[in-house]
PDB file of all heavy atoms in Angstrom:
ATOM      1  N   ILE M 390      -9.669  -5.267  16.309  1.00  0.00           N
ATOM      2  CA  ILE M 390     -10.368  -4.062  16.633  1.00  0.00           C
ATOM      3  C   ILE M 390     -11.010  -4.119  18.004  1.00  0.00           C
ATOM      4  O   ILE M 390     -10.989  -3.154  18.790  1.00  0.00           O
ATOM      5  CB  ILE M 390     -11.436  -3.715  15.542  1.00  0.00           C
ATOM      6  CG1 ILE M 390     -11.934  -2.284  15.669  1.00  0.00           C
ATOM      7  CG2 ILE M 390     -12.604  -4.705  15.618  1.00  0.00           C
ATOM      8  CD1 ILE M 390     -10.944  -1.232  15.293  1.00  0.00           C
ATOM      9  N   ASP M 391     -11.500  -5.285  18.387  1.00  0.00           N
ATOM     10  CA  ASP M 391     -12.094  -5.429  19.701  1.00  0.00           C
ATOM     11  C   ASP M 391     -11.034  -5.334  20.808  1.00  0.00           C
ATOM     12  O   ASP M 391     -11.244  -4.714  21.852  1.00  0.00           O
ATOM     13  CB  ASP M 391     -12.848  -6.750  19.823  1.00  0.00           C
ATOM     14  CG  ASP M 391     -14.068  -6.790  18.982  1.00  0.00           C
ATOM     15  OD1 ASP M 391     -14.643  -5.703  18.660  1.00  0.00           O
ATOM     16  OD2 ASP M 391     -14.536  -7.898  18.573  1.00  0.00           O
ATOM     17  N   GLU M 392      -9.901  -5.938  20.557  1.00  0.00           N
ATOM     18  CA  GLU M 392      -8.818  -5.887  21.527  1.00  0.00           C
ATOM     19  C   GLU M 392      -8.257  -4.462  21.666  1.00  0.00           C
ATOM     20  O   GLU M 392      -7.938  -4.006  22.744  1.00  0.00           O
ATOM     21  CB  GLU M 392      -7.673  -6.863  21.080  1.00  0.00           C
ATOM     22  CG  GLU M 392      -6.612  -7.077  22.131  1.00  0.00           C
ATOM     23  CD  GLU M 392      -5.605  -8.098  21.718  1.00  0.00           C
ATOM     24  OE1 GLU M 392      -5.828  -8.824  20.713  1.00  0.00           O
ATOM     25  OE2 GLU M 392      -4.555  -8.217  22.389  1.00  0.00           O
ATOM     26  N   ALA M 393      -8.203  -3.751  20.553  1.00  0.00           N
ATOM     27  CA  ALA M 393      -7.675  -2.403  20.521  1.00  0.00           C
ATOM     28  C   ALA M 393      -8.577  -1.453  21.342  1.00  0.00           C
ATOM     29  O   ALA M 393      -8.094  -0.565  22.037  1.00  0.00           O
ATOM     30  CB  ALA M 393      -7.553  -1.895  19.099  1.00  0.00           C
ATOM     31  N   LYS M 394      -9.871  -1.659  21.270  1.00  0.00           N
ATOM     32  CA  LYS M 394     -10.816  -0.795  22.014  1.00  0.00           C
ATOM     33  C   LYS M 394     -10.569  -0.888  23.496  1.00  0.00           C
ATOM     34  O   LYS M 394     -10.733   0.107  24.204  1.00  0.00           O
ATOM     35  CB  LYS M 394     -12.252  -1.200  21.665  1.00  0.00           C
ATOM     36  CG  LYS M 394     -12.702  -0.814  20.276  1.00  0.00           C
ATOM     37  CD  LYS M 394     -14.097  -1.314  19.954  1.00  0.00           C
ATOM     38  CE  LYS M 394     -14.519  -0.918  18.555  1.00  0.00           C
ATOM     39  NZ  LYS M 394     -15.884  -1.437  18.223  1.00  0.00           N
ATOM     40  N   MET M 395     -10.160  -2.056  23.968  1.00  0.00           N
ATOM     41  CA  MET M 395      -9.901  -2.210  25.415  1.00  0.00           C
ATOM     42  C   MET M 395      -8.598  -1.541  25.830  1.00  0.00           C
ATOM     43  O   MET M 395      -8.355  -1.368  27.043  1.00  0.00           O
ATOM     44  CB  MET M 395      -9.868  -3.699  25.772  1.00  0.00           C
ATOM     45  CG  MET M 395     -11.230  -4.378  25.568  1.00  0.00           C
ATOM     46  SD  MET M 395     -11.238  -6.087  26.150  1.00  0.00           S
ATOM     47  CE  MET M 395     -10.200  -6.893  24.925  1.00  0.00           C
ATOM     48  N   MET M 396      -7.772  -1.169  24.872  1.00  0.00           N
ATOM     49  CA  MET M 396      -6.476  -0.551  25.214  1.00  0.00           C
ATOM     50  C   MET M 396      -6.514   0.976  25.205  1.00  0.00           C
ATOM     51  O   MET M 396      -5.541   1.635  25.546  1.00  0.00           O
ATOM     52  CB  MET M 396      -5.404  -1.019  24.191  1.00  0.00           C
ATOM     53  CG  MET M 396      -5.053  -2.444  24.302  1.00  0.00           C
ATOM     54  SD  MET M 396      -3.651  -2.828  23.233  1.00  0.00           S
ATOM     55  CE  MET M 396      -3.401  -4.560  23.586  1.00  0.00           C
ATOM     56  N   CYS M 397      -7.632   1.561  24.808  1.00  0.00           N
ATOM     57  CA  CYS M 397      -7.699   3.003  24.678  1.00  0.00           C
ATOM     58  C   CYS M 397      -7.629   3.700  26.048  1.00  0.00           C
ATOM     59  O   CYS M 397      -8.367   3.346  26.946  1.00  0.00           O
ATOM     60  CB  CYS M 397      -9.004   3.411  23.977  1.00  0.00           C
ATOM     61  SG  CYS M 397      -9.061   2.952  22.241  1.00  0.00           S
ATOM     62  N   LEU M 398      -6.778   4.683  26.119  1.00  0.00           N
ATOM     63  CA  LEU M 398      -6.615   5.451  27.380  1.00  0.00           C
ATOM     64  C   LEU M 398      -7.233   6.824  27.294  1.00  0.00           C
ATOM     65  O   LEU M 398      -7.397   7.477  28.325  1.00  0.00           O
ATOM     66  CB  LEU M 398      -5.108   5.619  27.687  1.00  0.00           C
ATOM     67  CG  LEU M 398      -4.300   4.345  28.011  1.00  0.00           C
ATOM     68  CD1 LEU M 398      -2.866   4.698  28.268  1.00  0.00           C
ATOM     69  CD2 LEU M 398      -4.896   3.613  29.186  1.00  0.00           C
ATOM     70  N   ASN M 399      -7.560   7.289  26.051  1.00  0.00           N
ATOM     71  CA  ASN M 399      -8.095   8.631  25.917  1.00  0.00           C
ATOM     72  C   ASN M 399      -8.931   8.706  24.660  1.00  0.00           C
ATOM     73  O   ASN M 399      -9.036   7.788  23.875  1.00  0.00           O
ATOM     74  CB  ASN M 399      -6.975   9.677  25.892  1.00  0.00           C
ATOM     75  CG  ASN M 399      -5.893   9.315  24.875  1.00  0.00           C
ATOM     76  OD1 ASN M 399      -6.203   9.027  23.712  1.00  0.00           O
ATOM     77  ND2 ASN M 399      -4.646   9.382  25.293  1.00  0.00           N
ATOM     78  N   GLU M 400      -9.592   9.862  24.502  1.00  0.00           N
ATOM     79  CA  GLU M 400     -10.507  10.068  23.393  1.00  0.00           C
ATOM     80  C   GLU M 400      -9.803  10.060  22.053  1.00  0.00           C
ATOM     81  O   GLU M 400     -10.333   9.635  21.053  1.00  0.00           O
ATOM     82  CB  GLU M 400     -11.242  11.387  23.558  1.00  0.00           C
ATOM     83  CG  GLU M 400     -12.518  11.475  22.738  1.00  0.00           C
ATOM     84  CD  GLU M 400     -13.557  10.449  23.121  1.00  0.00           C
ATOM     85  OE1 GLU M 400     -13.619  10.014  24.277  1.00  0.00           O
ATOM     86  OE2 GLU M 400     -14.344  10.035  22.233  1.00  0.00           O
ATOM     87  N   ARG M 401      -8.565  10.535  22.031  1.00  0.00           N
ATOM     88  CA  ARG M 401      -7.799  10.567  20.791  1.00  0.00           C
ATOM     89  C   ARG M 401      -7.559   9.174  20.263  1.00  0.00           C
ATOM     90  O   ARG M 401      -7.650   8.917  19.015  1.00  0.00           O
ATOM     91  CB  ARG M 401      -6.453  11.261  21.015  1.00  0.00           C
ATOM     92  CG  ARG M 401      -5.659  11.581  19.747  1.00  0.00           C
ATOM     93  CD  ARG M 401      -4.430  12.336  20.146  1.00  0.00           C
ATOM     94  NE  ARG M 401      -3.482  12.414  19.004  1.00  0.00           N
ATOM     95  CZ  ARG M 401      -2.204  12.701  19.127  1.00  0.00           C
ATOM     96  NH1 ARG M 401      -1.692  12.947  20.335  1.00  0.00           N
ATOM     97  NH2 ARG M 401      -1.437  12.810  18.077  1.00  0.00           N
ATOM     98  N   MET M 402      -7.278   8.201  21.118  1.00  0.00           N
ATOM     99  CA  MET M 402      -7.102   6.828  20.708  1.00  0.00           C
ATOM    100  C   MET M 402      -8.430   6.262  20.212  1.00  0.00           C
ATOM    101  O   MET M 402      -8.483   5.558  19.200  1.00  0.00           O
ATOM    102  CB  MET M 402      -6.576   5.980  21.847  1.00  0.00           C
ATOM    103  CG  MET M 402      -5.156   6.342  22.247  1.00  0.00           C
ATOM    104  SD  MET M 402      -4.515   5.331  23.608  1.00  0.00           S
ATOM    105  CE  MET M 402      -4.166   3.769  22.731  1.00  0.00           C
ATOM    106  N   ARG M 403      -9.520   6.572  20.925  1.00  0.00           N
ATOM    107  CA  ARG M 403     -10.829   6.092  20.503  1.00  0.00           C
ATOM    108  C   ARG M 403     -11.215   6.681  19.141  1.00  0.00           C
ATOM    109  O   ARG M 403     -11.818   5.986  18.298  1.00  0.00           O
ATOM    110  CB  ARG M 403     -11.886   6.402  21.565  1.00  0.00           C
ATOM    111  CG  ARG M 403     -11.816   5.465  22.776  1.00  0.00           C
ATOM    112  CD  ARG M 403     -12.950   5.737  23.738  1.00  0.00           C
ATOM    113  NE  ARG M 403     -12.676   6.901  24.566  1.00  0.00           N
ATOM    114  CZ  ARG M 403     -11.993   6.872  25.713  1.00  0.00           C
ATOM    115  NH1 ARG M 403     -11.547   5.692  26.165  1.00  0.00           N
ATOM    116  NH2 ARG M 403     -11.809   7.943  26.419  1.00  0.00           N
TER     117      ARG M 403
END
Side-chain angles (χ1 to χ4, degrees):
I390 195 70
D391 291 336
E392 192 175 347
K394 288 177 181 178
M395 295 187 289
M396 292 188 178
C397 292
L398 296 179
N399 52 48
E400 198 63 29
R401 189 178 169 198
M402 294 180 76
R403 283 186 280 273

